[in-house]
Amino acid sequence: MVPEYREGLRGYTGGMPGQDVSFELDAPLEDLVKRILDIPSPSGHEGPLADAIEKALQSAQHLEVMRLGNTVAARTSLGRERRVIWAGHIDTVPVGDNLPSQIRDGALWGRGSVDMKGGLAIGLSLAVALDSPQHDMTWIFYDNEEVEASKNGLGLFGAAHPDWAVGDFAIVGEPSNGAIEGGCNGTLRVEIETPGKQAHSARSWMGHNAIHSAARVLSRLNDYTPATITVDGLDYREGLNAVGITGGIAGNVIPDSCTVTVNYRFAPDKTLPQAEAHVREVFEGFFVRVVDQAGGCRPGIDGELAQGFISAVDADVRPKFGWTDVARFGEWGIPAVNFGPGDPSLAHSDDEAVSLAEVRAVHQGLRAWLSSYSD
Amino acid sequence: MVPEYREGLRGYTGGMPGQDVSFELDAPLEDLVKRILDIPSPSGHEGPLADAIEKALQSAQHLEVMRLGNTVAARTSLGRERRVIWAGHIDTVPVGDNLPSQIRDGALWGRGSVDMKGGLAIGLSLAVALDSPQHDMTWIFYDNEEVEASKNGLGLFGAAHPDWAVGDFAIVGEPSNGAIEGGCNGTLRVEIETPGKQAHSARSWMGHNAIHSAARVLSRLNDYTPATITVDGLDYREGLNAVGITGGIAGNVIPDSCTVTVNYRFAPDKTLPQAEAHVREVFEGFFVRVVDQAGGCRPGIDGELAQGFISAVDADVRPKFGWTDVARFGEWGIPAVNFGPGDPSLAHSDDEAVSLAEVRAVHQGLRAWLSSYSD
């Protein structure tokens, strides 16, 4: 299929619906990455890529394949003692002018090269190639990661097929510079409202200024020392911060309300209720309303299984502070890490590019670990 | 002319352009108030009422009349030692369902009865009747007081005719419950911006939280004790208050900016530059930007002229805290007071009504003072 541009669509449109695409799975890894990259799959338009992935997985006798929408999963059932889940999203942010992909200076350039088709190629290649991995494997290739959480294919798949959402350890193939980024912090957002009594500002003594009262909320934030908590051997830095403040009615009115929005990023040693209780304790005496929350995820890297993984892939290990899809595994009670090629700071940028050497290194590490069957 | 309602106009429309209206100036005072009230004059539509006022003033031999737009002024030139200005606005907020006016329980009900056609009737009646007042008089009936300051007829008239904007004392006929409300506080509004450094809230230690920094601004407000300052014998309470606060970019971002809007209401002992210097001193170390300002006005009630006024009208005297058109006289260097019938808290309300006894009392007080010619 010749890459082409179409009027009316945003940039490169190779692999649009109706085009038959497939992969040569015995070709070199970099060819597979380039092939996957050249099938555009912005969120909501993952069909052709999902079709090609499904076809590739169906070709492997050792895999049971399950599809939900444009999320495709496959698993082995070899009776191993442990099960590992590998997951990666197949969608990208909208394609700009950076497709078709190009190889320059040992790197593959183009939309999605970092986030996360480099990782995707590794997962797909290993899913098909490893017919006897040392742990039973579940591979999940999911859609709609780059859009609102309610559409997220990993979340929807786990909800629809809870028997597939089981395992002892999970690896999310998101770019991590080839390092292992363990778990993730949880996040809780609350609104703290201070009350007041409205009055004309020419007679301010008739009222009670809610903005002035917010000083005590901000002072508690300034007095707060965020903790660093070690979970499964990794140090998670927490944070408690105002991310918004709003108050005021008019330039001549003493305001009767002021709202401070506070974001608590908490280590994965805490459940959501524990995190909420902590915030309520910090702001005791104030009205606290939870507006948004998402739990964290333990890295689980102190276990035997993960230790084997770490020593096999020979990569740096550090905590993940930002909230990622790793946390969905946290919800399912499965410790998880990010491990994939590419610099996350290049994700979504116009000069997105992934080092092919890093793609090979991550592939090699995972392959080495999963192949070393020793039961 | 029979009061009438017209489709397509908001409520009562007696006295619209093209209708000839005039006053019977020798009729009882309450008839004049009712007559003025039944000529609707919402801001921007003061023409018919201004015409009628001009005609009435022109009928008095002792008055020199000057008109600018829908502002009509008249003055005596009797060679008195002192000149007093009386001013009142002729516009109202939009007419609702409260016209035509009704007399019930000794009160006159309807849009503008309080704000300020009761006062207007007093001014017009005295302007025409007093052909030999004890002080030379300048009477100003002005438009567009209820809308943006740039349209204010008193300000425009004074700017166009500076030789009319002179006097030793001024009385603004705004409702003051029949009491004398002296001078007015000035008002200054500033924005105080605290800086920060943006970062993802998952890595808050990479940034600097501007909202947290605003705690110090609010603390200074909480620590501030507003002064009460005696000016010309009246005690002016000041106030320094946050009237707005805004900060925040998104629920997961450490904000790099937070702005507190502060309103300083200052006694008329201070000029605007002095008020600004005070605020800059309170917030030393912060970036302070002036966004709005208007000077105050001394009451001047400790002078001989005003003392004669106070004893003649036999009314309570108190400071005016809110900013009113009195301050325009402050700009012209003329001490001024508010003195008019009606409860200002009823102004603009649907049940606006003025006590006819209070209208008569204010009329009687002013008449007694201005008639007691003793040169």
Side-chain angles (χ1 to χ4, degrees), chain A residues 189 200-202 204-205 209 211-212 215 218 221-222 237 241-248 250-255 263 265 321-322, chain B residues 189 200-202 204-205 209 211-212 215 218 221-222 237 241-248 250-255 263 265 321-322:
Chain A
R189 208 157 64 235
H200 196 289
S201 67
S204 51
W205 53 91
N209 196 315
I211 295 176
H212 293 196
L218 300 186
L221 287 168
N222 280 321
R237 282 185 81 162
N241 271 276
V243 290
I245 188 166
T246 177
N252 60 354
V253 177
I254 302 301
N263 184 211
R265 298 281 175 154
F321 297 120
Chain B
R189 208 157 65 236
H200 196 290
S201 68
S204 51
W205 52 91
N209 196 315
I211 295 176
H212 293 197
L218 300 185
L221 287 167
N222 280 322
R237 281 184 81 162
N241 271 277
V243 291
I245 188 166
T246 177
N252 59 354
V253 177
I254 302 301
N263 184 210
R265 298 283 174 152
F321 298 120

Short mmCIF file of all heavy atoms in Angstrom, two decimals, chain A residues 189 200-202 204-205 209 211-212 215 218 221-222 237 241-248 250-255 263 265 321-322, chain B residues 189 200-202 204-205 209 211-212 215 218 221-222 237 241-248 250-255 263 265 321-322:
data_model
loop_
_atom_site.label_atom_id
_atom_site.label_comp_id
_atom_site.label_asym_id
_atom_site.label_seq_id
_atom_site.Cartn_x
_atom_site.Cartn_y
_atom_site.Cartn_z
N ARG A 189 -8.69 15.59 44.13
CA ARG A 189 -8.90 17.03 44.02
C ARG A 189 -10.11 17.41 44.87
O ARG A 189 -11.17 16.79 44.75
CB ARG A 189 -9.08 17.45 42.58
CG ARG A 189 -8.63 18.88 42.33
CD ARG A 189 -8.28 19.18 40.88
NE ARG A 189 -9.42 19.04 40.02
CZ ARG A 189 -9.46 18.26 38.95
NH1 ARG A 189 -8.42 17.56 38.60
NH2 ARG A 189 -10.54 18.20 38.20
N HIS A 200 -21.62 45.92 50.91
CA HIS A 200 -20.99 46.90 50.03
C HIS A 200 -19.59 47.18 50.58
O HIS A 200 -19.42 47.30 51.79
CB HIS A 200 -21.82 48.18 49.98
CG HIS A 200 -21.46 49.07 48.83
ND1 HIS A 200 -20.27 49.76 48.76
CD2 HIS A 200 -22.12 49.37 47.69
CE1 HIS A 200 -20.21 50.45 47.63
NE2 HIS A 200 -21.34 50.22 46.96
N SER A 201 -18.60 47.29 49.68
CA SER A 201 -17.24 47.47 50.18
C SER A 201 -17.04 48.85 50.81
O SER A 201 -16.05 49.08 51.50
CB SER A 201 -16.21 47.24 49.07
OG SER A 201 -16.29 48.24 48.08
N ALA A 202 -17.99 49.78 50.59
CA ALA A 202 -17.92 51.08 51.28
C ALA A 202 -18.30 50.93 52.75
O ALA A 202 -18.02 51.82 53.56
CB ALA A 202 -18.85 52.07 50.60
N SER A 204 -17.62 47.88 54.65
CA SER A 204 -17.10 46.52 54.73
C SER A 204 -17.34 45.90 56.10
O SER A 204 -17.44 44.69 56.24
CB SER A 204 -15.61 46.50 54.39
OG SER A 204 -14.90 47.47 55.15
N TRP A 205 -17.45 46.75 57.13
CA TRP A 205 -17.66 46.23 58.49
C TRP A 205 -19.03 45.59 58.66
O TRP A 205 -19.28 44.91 59.65
CB TRP A 205 -17.46 47.35 59.52
CG TRP A 205 -18.28 48.57 59.23
CD1 TRP A 205 -19.53 48.85 59.68
CD2 TRP A 205 -17.91 49.67 58.39
NE1 TRP A 205 -19.96 50.05 59.18
CE2 TRP A 205 -18.98 50.58 58.38
CE3 TRP A 205 -16.75 49.97 57.64
CZ2 TRP A 205 -18.96 51.77 57.66
CZ3 TRP A 205 -16.73 51.16 56.92
CH2 TRP A 205 -17.82 52.05 56.94
N ASN A 209 -15.46 38.99 55.07
CA ASN A 209 -14.77 38.76 53.80
C ASN A 209 -14.28 37.32 53.65
O ASN A 209 -13.34 36.89 54.32
CB ASN A 209 -13.61 39.74 53.68
CG ASN A 209 -13.10 39.85 52.27
OD1 ASN A 209 -12.91 38.84 51.59
ND2 ASN A 209 -12.88 41.07 51.81
N ILE A 211 -12.73 35.97 51.15
CA ILE A 211 -11.37 35.86 50.58
C ILE A 211 -10.33 35.99 51.69
O ILE A 211 -9.35 35.25 51.73
CB ILE A 211 -11.13 36.91 49.48
CG1 ILE A 211 -12.07 36.65 48.29
CG2 ILE A 211 -9.69 36.89 49.01
CD1 ILE A 211 -11.98 37.69 47.18
N HIS A 212 -10.59 36.92 52.62
CA HIS A 212 -9.66 37.06 53.74
C HIS A 212 -9.59 35.74 54.53
O HIS A 212 -8.52 35.33 54.98
CB HIS A 212 -10.08 38.21 54.66
CG HIS A 212 -9.98 39.57 54.02
ND1 HIS A 212 -9.99 40.74 54.73
CD2 HIS A 212 -9.84 39.95 52.72
CE1 HIS A 212 -9.88 41.78 53.91
NE2 HIS A 212 -9.80 41.32 52.69
N ALA A 215 -7.14 32.96 53.64
CA ALA A 215 -5.73 33.03 54.06
C ALA A 215 -5.38 31.83 54.93
O ALA A 215 -4.28 31.29 54.83
CB ALA A 215 -5.48 34.34 54.82
N LEU A 218 -4.73 28.81 52.77
CA LEU A 218 -3.42 28.90 52.10
C LEU A 218 -2.28 28.73 53.10
O LEU A 218 -1.25 28.13 52.79
CB LEU A 218 -3.29 30.23 51.35
CG LEU A 218 -4.34 30.49 50.26
CD1 LEU A 218 -4.03 31.77 49.49
CD2 LEU A 218 -4.44 29.31 49.28
N LEU A 221 -1.60 25.19 53.68
CA LEU A 221 -0.83 24.62 52.56
C LEU A 221 0.64 24.99 52.69
O LEU A 221 1.53 24.17 52.46
CB LEU A 221 -1.39 25.13 51.23
CG LEU A 221 -2.74 24.53 50.81
CD1 LEU A 221 -3.34 25.30 49.64
CD2 LEU A 221 -2.56 23.06 50.43
N ASN A 222 0.89 26.26 53.06
CA ASN A 222 2.28 26.68 53.21
C ASN A 222 2.97 25.97 54.36
O ASN A 222 4.17 25.71 54.31
CB ASN A 222 2.34 28.21 53.41
CG ASN A 222 2.21 28.96 52.09
OD1 ASN A 222 2.76 28.54 51.07
ND2 ASN A 222 1.50 30.08 52.11
N ARG A 237 7.31 10.74 46.12
CA ARG A 237 7.14 12.10 46.67
C ARG A 237 5.69 12.50 46.52
O ARG A 237 5.11 12.39 45.45
CB ARG A 237 8.00 13.11 45.89
CG ARG A 237 9.46 13.07 46.28
CD ARG A 237 10.24 14.16 45.57
NE ARG A 237 10.11 15.46 46.21
CZ ARG A 237 10.95 16.47 46.00
NH1 ARG A 237 11.97 16.32 45.16
NH2 ARG A 237 10.79 17.61 46.61
N ASN A 241 -1.25 20.80 46.90
CA ASN A 241 -1.14 22.11 46.27
C ASN A 241 -2.47 22.72 45.89
O ASN A 241 -3.36 22.01 45.41
CB ASN A 241 -0.32 21.98 44.98
CG ASN A 241 1.15 22.15 45.24
OD1 ASN A 241 1.64 23.28 45.30
ND2 ASN A 241 1.84 21.04 45.45
N ALA A 242 -2.57 24.03 46.08
CA ALA A 242 -3.68 24.76 45.48
C ALA A 242 -3.44 24.78 43.97
O ALA A 242 -2.35 25.13 43.52
CB ALA A 242 -3.74 26.18 46.02
N VAL A 243 -4.44 24.38 43.22
CA VAL A 243 -4.35 24.48 41.76
C VAL A 243 -5.36 25.49 41.22
O VAL A 243 -5.40 25.75 40.03
CB VAL A 243 -4.56 23.11 41.08
CG1 VAL A 243 -3.38 22.20 41.36
CG2 VAL A 243 -5.87 22.46 41.56
N GLY A 244 -6.15 26.07 42.12
CA GLY A 244 -7.10 27.09 41.69
C GLY A 244 -7.63 27.85 42.89
O GLY A 244 -7.69 27.32 44.00
N ILE A 245 -7.97 29.11 42.67
CA ILE A 245 -8.65 29.88 43.71
C ILE A 245 -9.56 30.86 43.01
O ILE A 245 -9.20 31.43 41.96
CB ILE A 245 -7.66 30.59 44.65
CG1 ILE A 245 -8.39 31.22 45.86
CG2 ILE A 245 -6.84 31.64 43.91
CD1 ILE A 245 -7.46 31.65 46.98
N THR A 246 -10.74 31.02 43.53
CA THR A 246 -11.67 31.96 42.92
C THR A 246 -12.59 32.54 43.99
O THR A 246 -13.09 31.84 44.86
CB THR A 246 -12.46 31.28 41.78
OG1 THR A 246 -13.39 32.22 41.26
CG2 THR A 246 -13.23 30.07 42.27
N GLY A 247 -12.75 33.84 43.92
CA GLY A 247 -13.63 34.53 44.85
C GLY A 247 -13.86 35.94 44.36
O GLY A 247 -13.02 36.50 43.64
N GLY A 248 -15.00 36.51 44.72
CA GLY A 248 -15.28 37.88 44.32
C GLY A 248 -16.54 37.99 43.50
O GLY A 248 -16.84 37.12 42.67
N ALA A 250 -18.00 41.56 42.71
CA ALA A 250 -17.83 42.79 41.95
C ALA A 250 -16.79 43.63 42.68
O ALA A 250 -16.43 43.33 43.82
CB ALA A 250 -19.16 43.55 41.85
N GLY A 251 -16.32 44.66 41.99
CA GLY A 251 -15.25 45.48 42.53
C GLY A 251 -15.64 46.27 43.77
O GLY A 251 -14.77 46.85 44.42
N ASN A 252 -16.92 46.31 44.10
CA ASN A 252 -17.37 47.07 45.26
C ASN A 252 -18.18 46.22 46.24
O ASN A 252 -19.02 46.74 46.98
CB ASN A 252 -18.21 48.28 44.80
CG ASN A 252 -19.43 47.85 44.01
OD1 ASN A 252 -19.60 46.67 43.70
ND2 ASN A 252 -20.29 48.81 43.68
N VAL A 253 -17.93 44.92 46.24
CA VAL A 253 -18.70 44.02 47.10
C VAL A 253 -17.76 43.15 47.94
O VAL A 253 -16.81 42.58 47.41
CB VAL A 253 -19.63 43.11 46.25
CG1 VAL A 253 -20.38 42.14 47.15
CG2 VAL A 253 -20.61 43.94 45.44
N ILE A 254 -18.04 43.07 49.23
CA ILE A 254 -17.32 42.13 50.10
C ILE A 254 -17.85 40.73 49.77
O ILE A 254 -19.06 40.48 49.89
CB ILE A 254 -17.59 42.45 51.59
CG1 ILE A 254 -17.17 43.89 51.90
CG2 ILE A 254 -16.89 41.46 52.50
CD1 ILE A 254 -15.72 44.22 51.63
N PRO A 255 -16.97 39.85 49.33
CA PRO A 255 -17.45 38.55 48.83
C PRO A 255 -17.86 37.61 49.95
O PRO A 255 -17.24 37.56 51.01
CB PRO A 255 -16.24 38.00 48.08
CG PRO A 255 -15.06 38.65 48.71
CD PRO A 255 -15.52 40.00 49.18
N ASN A 263 -5.12 20.01 45.09
CA ASN A 263 -4.80 18.72 44.50
C ASN A 263 -3.81 17.98 45.40
O ASN A 263 -2.73 18.49 45.69
CB ASN A 263 -4.20 18.93 43.10
CG ASN A 263 -3.93 17.63 42.35
OD1 ASN A 263 -3.01 17.55 41.55
ND2 ASN A 263 -4.71 16.60 42.60
N ARG A 265 -1.52 14.75 45.63
CA ARG A 265 -0.90 13.62 44.93
C ARG A 265 -0.32 12.71 45.99
O ARG A 265 0.60 13.12 46.72
CB ARG A 265 0.20 14.13 43.98
CG ARG A 265 -0.32 15.06 42.90
CD ARG A 265 -0.96 14.26 41.79
NE ARG A 265 -1.58 15.13 40.79
CZ ARG A 265 -1.75 14.76 39.52
NH1 ARG A 265 -1.37 13.58 39.10
NH2 ARG A 265 -2.35 15.58 38.69
N PHE A 321 5.64 9.38 39.20
CA PHE A 321 4.86 10.32 40.00
C PHE A 321 3.52 10.64 39.34
O PHE A 321 2.50 10.76 39.99
CB PHE A 321 5.66 11.60 40.25
CG PHE A 321 6.91 11.36 41.04
CD1 PHE A 321 8.16 11.67 40.53
CD2 PHE A 321 6.84 10.81 42.31
CE1 PHE A 321 9.31 11.44 41.26
CE2 PHE A 321 7.98 10.58 43.06
CZ PHE A 321 9.23 10.90 42.53
N GLY A 322 3.53 10.81 38.04
CA GLY A 322 2.32 11.17 37.33
C GLY A 322 1.35 10.00 37.32
O GLY A 322 1.74 8.83 37.45
N ARG B 189 -8.93 50.91 43.53
CA ARG B 189 -8.88 49.45 43.34
C ARG B 189 -7.55 49.09 42.70
O ARG B 189 -7.15 49.69 41.70
CB ARG B 189 -10.06 48.99 42.49
CG ARG B 189 -10.45 47.56 42.80
CD ARG B 189 -11.88 47.22 42.45
NE ARG B 189 -12.11 47.30 41.04
CZ ARG B 189 -13.04 48.04 40.46
NH1 ARG B 189 -13.85 48.78 41.20
NH2 ARG B 189 -13.19 48.06 39.17
N HIS B 200 3.84 20.50 36.49
CA HIS B 200 2.77 19.52 36.65
C HIS B 200 2.59 19.27 38.15
O HIS B 200 3.57 19.19 38.88
CB HIS B 200 3.16 18.22 35.93
CG HIS B 200 1.99 17.31 35.71
ND1 HIS B 200 1.38 16.64 36.74
CD2 HIS B 200 1.32 16.97 34.60
CE1 HIS B 200 0.38 15.91 36.27
NE2 HIS B 200 0.32 16.10 34.96
N SER B 201 1.33 19.16 38.57
CA SER B 201 1.10 19.02 40.01
C SER B 201 1.58 17.66 40.52
O SER B 201 1.69 17.45 41.74
CB SER B 201 -0.37 19.26 40.37
OG SER B 201 -1.19 18.23 39.85
N ALA B 202 1.86 16.72 39.62
CA ALA B 202 2.43 15.45 40.06
C ALA B 202 3.90 15.61 40.44
O ALA B 202 4.47 14.76 41.10
CB ALA B 202 2.29 14.40 38.95
N SER B 204 5.19 18.72 41.84
CA SER B 204 5.00 20.10 42.29
C SER B 204 6.31 20.74 42.73
O SER B 204 6.45 21.96 42.67
CB SER B 204 3.98 20.15 43.43
OG SER B 204 4.30 19.22 44.45
N TRP B 205 7.26 19.93 43.16
CA TRP B 205 8.54 20.48 43.63
C TRP B 205 9.34 21.09 42.48
O TRP B 205 10.31 21.80 42.74
CB TRP B 205 9.36 19.39 44.33
CG TRP B 205 9.51 18.15 43.51
CD1 TRP B 205 10.52 17.86 42.63
CD2 TRP B 205 8.62 17.03 43.46
NE1 TRP B 205 10.30 16.63 42.04
CE2 TRP B 205 9.14 16.09 42.54
CE3 TRP B 205 7.43 16.72 44.13
CZ2 TRP B 205 8.52 14.89 42.26
CZ3 TRP B 205 6.82 15.51 43.83
CH2 TRP B 205 7.34 14.62 42.92
N ASN B 209 4.36 27.72 43.64
CA ASN B 209 2.92 27.91 43.62
C ASN B 209 2.52 29.37 43.93
O ASN B 209 2.65 29.83 45.07
CB ASN B 209 2.26 26.96 44.62
CG ASN B 209 0.77 26.82 44.38
OD1 ASN B 209 0.09 27.82 44.17
ND2 ASN B 209 0.27 25.60 44.40
N ILE B 211 -0.43 30.68 44.03
CA ILE B 211 -1.59 30.80 44.94
C ILE B 211 -1.12 30.71 46.39
O ILE B 211 -1.59 31.46 47.25
CB ILE B 211 -2.65 29.71 44.63
CG1 ILE B 211 -3.24 29.92 43.24
CG2 ILE B 211 -3.76 29.73 45.68
CD1 ILE B 211 -4.23 28.85 42.80
N HIS B 212 -0.18 29.80 46.65
CA HIS B 212 0.36 29.72 48.01
C HIS B 212 0.99 31.06 48.41
O HIS B 212 0.86 31.51 49.56
CB HIS B 212 1.39 28.59 48.12
CG HIS B 212 0.81 27.21 47.94
ND1 HIS B 212 1.46 26.07 48.32
CD2 HIS B 212 -0.38 26.80 47.43
CE1 HIS B 212 0.70 25.01 48.06
NE2 HIS B 212 -0.41 25.42 47.49
N ALA B 215 -1.03 33.88 50.03
CA ALA B 215 -1.34 33.84 51.46
C ALA B 215 -0.77 35.07 52.15
O ALA B 215 -1.41 35.63 53.06
CB ALA B 215 -0.77 32.56 52.09
N LEU B 218 -3.05 38.04 51.58
CA LEU B 218 -4.26 37.96 52.40
C LEU B 218 -3.92 38.17 53.87
O LEU B 218 -4.72 38.77 54.62
CB LEU B 218 -4.95 36.60 52.17
CG LEU B 218 -5.39 36.31 50.73
CD1 LEU B 218 -6.17 35.01 50.66
CD2 LEU B 218 -6.22 37.45 50.15
N LEU B 221 -3.84 41.74 54.64
CA LEU B 221 -5.20 42.28 54.75
C LEU B 221 -5.80 41.94 56.11
O LEU B 221 -6.45 42.77 56.75
CB LEU B 221 -6.08 41.73 53.63
CG LEU B 221 -5.79 42.30 52.24
CD1 LEU B 221 -6.49 41.47 51.16
CD2 LEU B 221 -6.25 43.75 52.16
N ASN B 222 -5.57 40.69 56.56
CA ASN B 222 -6.11 40.29 57.86
C ASN B 222 -5.45 41.05 59.00
O ASN B 222 -6.09 41.34 60.01
CB ASN B 222 -5.93 38.78 58.06
CG ASN B 222 -7.00 37.97 57.33
OD1 ASN B 222 -8.16 38.37 57.29
ND2 ASN B 222 -6.62 36.85 56.75
N ARG B 237 -15.10 56.00 58.35
CA ARG B 237 -14.50 54.67 58.51
C ARG B 237 -13.90 54.26 57.18
O ARG B 237 -14.57 54.30 56.15
CB ARG B 237 -15.56 53.65 58.92
CG ARG B 237 -15.91 53.72 60.38
CD ARG B 237 -16.90 52.63 60.75
NE ARG B 237 -16.25 51.34 60.97
CZ ARG B 237 -16.83 50.33 61.63
NH1 ARG B 237 -18.05 50.46 62.11
NH2 ARG B 237 -16.19 49.19 61.80
N ASN B 241 -10.01 45.91 51.54
CA ASN B 241 -10.59 44.59 51.37
C ASN B 241 -10.27 43.94 50.04
O ASN B 241 -10.29 44.61 48.99
CB ASN B 241 -12.11 44.68 51.46
CG ASN B 241 -12.60 44.54 52.88
OD1 ASN B 241 -12.75 43.42 53.36
ND2 ASN B 241 -12.79 45.66 53.54
N ALA B 242 -10.02 42.64 50.08
CA ALA B 242 -10.00 41.87 48.85
C ALA B 242 -11.43 41.79 48.31
O ALA B 242 -12.35 41.46 49.06
CB ALA B 242 -9.46 40.47 49.10
N VAL B 243 -11.61 42.15 47.07
CA VAL B 243 -12.92 42.00 46.44
C VAL B 243 -12.88 40.96 45.33
O VAL B 243 -13.90 40.69 44.70
CB VAL B 243 -13.44 43.35 45.89
CG1 VAL B 243 -13.79 44.29 47.04
CG2 VAL B 243 -12.43 44.00 44.95
N GLY B 244 -11.70 40.40 45.09
CA GLY B 244 -11.59 39.36 44.08
C GLY B 244 -10.27 38.63 44.22
O GLY B 244 -9.28 39.20 44.69
N ILE B 245 -10.28 37.36 43.86
CA ILE B 245 -9.02 36.62 43.79
C ILE B 245 -9.18 35.59 42.69
O ILE B 245 -10.25 35.01 42.51
CB ILE B 245 -8.67 35.94 45.14
CG1 ILE B 245 -7.26 35.35 45.08
CG2 ILE B 245 -9.70 34.88 45.51
CD1 ILE B 245 -6.71 34.97 46.46
N THR B 246 -8.14 35.42 41.92
CA THR B 246 -8.21 34.45 40.84
C THR B 246 -6.83 33.89 40.57
O THR B 246 -5.84 34.61 40.54
CB THR B 246 -8.83 35.07 39.58
OG1 THR B 246 -8.81 34.10 38.54
CG2 THR B 246 -8.07 36.30 39.11
N GLY B 247 -6.78 32.58 40.44
CA GLY B 247 -5.52 31.91 40.14
C GLY B 247 -5.82 30.48 39.74
O GLY B 247 -6.84 29.92 40.14
N GLY B 248 -4.93 29.90 38.93
CA GLY B 248 -5.11 28.51 38.54
C GLY B 248 -5.23 28.34 37.05
O GLY B 248 -5.84 29.17 36.37
N ALA B 250 -5.14 24.73 35.53
CA ALA B 250 -5.87 23.47 35.33
C ALA B 250 -5.73 22.67 36.61
O ALA B 250 -4.91 23.00 37.47
CB ALA B 250 -5.29 22.69 34.14
N GLY B 251 -6.54 21.63 36.73
CA GLY B 251 -6.58 20.84 37.95
C GLY B 251 -5.30 20.10 38.25
O GLY B 251 -5.13 19.56 39.34
N ASN B 252 -4.39 20.04 37.28
CA ASN B 252 -3.14 19.28 37.49
C ASN B 252 -1.91 20.14 37.23
O ASN B 252 -0.86 19.63 36.88
CB ASN B 252 -3.12 18.05 36.58
CG ASN B 252 -3.22 18.41 35.10
OD1 ASN B 252 -3.41 19.58 34.77
ND2 ASN B 252 -3.10 17.43 34.23
N VAL B 253 -2.06 21.46 37.39
CA VAL B 253 -0.94 22.37 37.10
C VAL B 253 -0.68 23.28 38.31
O VAL B 253 -1.61 23.85 38.88
CB VAL B 253 -1.24 23.23 35.86
CG1 VAL B 253 -0.11 24.22 35.60
CG2 VAL B 253 -1.46 22.35 34.63
N ILE B 254 0.59 23.39 38.69
CA ILE B 254 0.99 24.36 39.70
C ILE B 254 0.93 25.73 39.04
O ILE B 254 1.62 25.97 38.04
CB ILE B 254 2.42 24.07 40.20
CG1 ILE B 254 2.51 22.66 40.77
CG2 ILE B 254 2.86 25.12 41.23
CD1 ILE B 254 1.58 22.37 41.91
N PRO B 255 0.10 26.66 39.56
CA PRO B 255 -0.14 27.93 38.86
C PRO B 255 1.04 28.90 39.01
O PRO B 255 1.66 28.99 40.07
CB PRO B 255 -1.38 28.48 39.55
CG PRO B 255 -1.38 27.86 40.89
CD PRO B 255 -0.73 26.52 40.77
N ASN B 263 -9.73 46.58 47.24
CA ASN B 263 -10.43 47.85 47.19
C ASN B 263 -10.15 48.63 48.48
O ASN B 263 -10.41 48.15 49.58
CB ASN B 263 -11.94 47.60 47.05
CG ASN B 263 -12.76 48.87 46.88
OD1 ASN B 263 -13.91 48.93 47.27
ND2 ASN B 263 -12.19 49.91 46.28
N ARG B 265 -11.15 51.90 50.50
CA ARG B 265 -12.09 53.01 50.67
C ARG B 265 -11.45 53.94 51.69
O ARG B 265 -11.26 53.56 52.85
CB ARG B 265 -13.43 52.48 51.20
CG ARG B 265 -14.12 51.52 50.25
CD ARG B 265 -14.77 52.25 49.11
NE ARG B 265 -15.32 51.37 48.11
CZ ARG B 265 -16.35 51.67 47.33
NH1 ARG B 265 -16.94 52.85 47.44
NH2 ARG B 265 -16.79 50.83 46.42
N PHE B 321 -20.35 57.02 53.50
CA PHE B 321 -19.23 56.12 53.24
C PHE B 321 -19.14 55.76 51.76
O PHE B 321 -18.08 55.65 51.19
CB PHE B 321 -19.35 54.87 54.09
CG PHE B 321 -19.29 55.16 55.57
CD1 PHE B 321 -20.34 54.85 56.41
CD2 PHE B 321 -18.17 55.78 56.10
CE1 PHE B 321 -20.28 55.12 57.77
CE2 PHE B 321 -18.09 56.06 57.47
CZ PHE B 321 -19.16 55.73 58.29
N GLY B 322 -20.30 55.55 51.14
CA GLY B 322 -20.30 55.16 49.73
C GLY B 322 -19.87 56.32 48.84
O GLY B 322 -20.00 57.49 49.22
#
